[in-house]
Amino acid sequence: MADKAFNPFKMAQEQFDKVADILELDEATRELLRNPLREYHVSIPVKMDDGTVKVFRGFRVQHNDSRGPAKGGIRFHPHETIDTVKALSTWMTWKCAVVDIPLGGSKGGVICDPHNLSQREQEQLCRGFVRQLAHDVGPLRDVPAPDVMTNAQHMLWMLDEYETIMGAKFPGMITGKPVGMGGSLGRTEATGYGVIYTLREALKNHGVDPKNTTASVQGFGKVAQYAIRLYNQMGGKVIAVSSWDQGEQKSFSYKKATGVDIDELLSVTDRYGGINRPKAMQMGYEVLPGEDWLIQDVDILIPAALENQITGANVQSISKKVRFIAEGANGPTTPEADKVLRERGVFVIPDFLANAGGVTCSYFEQVQCNMNYFWEKDEVLAKLDLKMTSAFHAVSDLAKKKNLYMRDAAYIIAINRVAQACKDRGWV
Ligand code: GLU
């Protein structure tokens, strides 16, 4: 989104084409899987607090639903584009397939900046979005969830609007709901924890003790926060994080060589992961340019912000010390940069595997809603760990056996499963 020339959907198609060649997929299957099944463009009029009406643009894209109802988050972002949403919906299909949950892939987005909207305006936007799409989403069709700058409250407003329109209760219509209102314990932590479950297994495979490692993290939203927390619990030390500064309209990196203190930093962070710069400086953090999270002398990089962050232009500035990259964000590495990482022998845990913890827990949330019986947090997290760990090993075993890059191995498993489902249904 930062770079106008970058087209994430082209990138998603490029990644797909490469694996389609390896798998020798037939033309019809390629045509079906390299494009979304359906895409919706909507206009959402919202009565603003000052009495004027503002019309917001929104998108929902259903990439594939051969393995089950489409599934994917809704993002609020001022630079949202249809091509970003198309790419993200494609990655959702591979994500659900690689962890083998019975769901397809979709994504939504609204062009807006929630920093500039009151709670009431945000509520109207959520309800308006659902009013436009109520008959195209639903528990058996397409199930939204939180993503960049959306949260449990947004999900609950959307659910309430849907149930009002449909005249009945449908708790499985959306996931990431507040706990006590159909949400699952552990859902907030799930994506960040999932990233670290896969990282833990990668370190184990390489005989590396997390206690002897350092990391640098891009982003300070929910994914980054919970990834840092669990990585710290394993004994790892994060020495830098980056965060978006709403006032300056750019990001900064915050460095502490002795290790970032997550609770201390959270006490000066807003609900969107924005760190208060003057306060962080008072706490002894060195403030560096936004991109500097990438050039730190660490063992592990965790991009956990947006797409298109590790690119051909900056990949060479990554320290030679970096041995692992765990992609918490969706699409953070461009194919050009990926080639360099692969040649350097960096062990990359690809986005749609590393960050699949969120949607896996969303699936658990649906299961719990269906039973109307909710598990304890430990039970949710144990099931999540099991799912992520076995998906990681399936991919890394294939990578080892066939001498493949982790991203290619993950794609092979995911695309194979989806292609097979389309075939079994008689679509191709
Ligand atoms: N937005 C998250 C993702 O990109 C979670 C999606 C979901 O729970 O459906 O994976």
Side-chain angles (χ1 to χ4, degrees), residues 71-74 88 92 95 107 143-148 175-176 187 191 330 355-356 358-363:
K71 186 83 190 76
I74 297 177
L88 291 161
M92 284 310 301
K95 194 181 298 192
K107 202 79 172 200
V143 183
D147 202 282
V148 172
T175 60
R187 177 63 186 85
T191 313
N330 291 309
N355 71 31
V359 75
T360 302
C361 196
S362 278
Y363 164 60

Side-chain angles (χ1 to χ4, degrees), residues 211-238:
K211 290 192 184 70
N212 302 327
T213 64
T214 53
S216 178
V217 179
Q218 186 191 31
F220 202 55
K222 287 280 175 292
V223 180
Q225 290 167 17
Y226 285 102
I228 295 172
R229 206 174 269 291
L230 191 59
Y231 173 66
N232 282 163
Q233 279 169 25
M234 279 165 25
K237 190 164 80 178
V238 172

